[in-house]
Amino acid sequence: MKSTGIVRRLDELGRITLPIELRRNFDVNERDPLEIFVDDDKIILKKYNPADIFTGEDMDDLIDYKGKKVSRKSIIELAKLAGFEITEA
């Protein structure tokens, strides 16, 4: 892991400010969602990219169904598995 040499303190609400250099380098803008991971004693932040719940692939054509992201491709495959005849447009 590479050190940036930047140290930040948590405020009274547990927040930190990401330096502008990091936000620019990682294309993180105001209000962008960040995903939080834990790896042993490390906290890892990653810019959130929604993915299909079935394949895990990042996709542009995701549909929100009951709070879950599903691609059109997965929906078509599931419909075919369920026995529906699908004509793709």
Side-chain angles (χ1 to χ4, degrees), residues 25-62:
N25 286 343
F26 290 96
D27 192 30
V28 175
N29 300 302
E30 194 174 299
R31 301 282 179 209
D32 279 351
L34 297 176
E35 202 166 3
I36 302 169
F37 297 91
V38 177
D39 182 18
D40 295 324
D41 63 341
K42 297 170 196 68
I43 300 170
I44 300 166
L45 299 176
K46 180 182 174 195
K47 189 171 178 179
Y48 176 68
N49 291 316
D52 184 308
I53 62 165
F54 295 108
T55 65
E57 295 177 21
D58 292 341
M59 309 189 92
D60 293 330
D61 69 340
L62 295 177

Side-chain angles (χ1 to χ4, degrees), residues 7-17 43:
V7 176
R8 298 289 175 150
R9 292 189 188 275
L10 291 175
D11 72 7
E12 61 279 353
L13 296 176
R15 299 175 294 198
I16 60 168
T17 302
I43 300 170

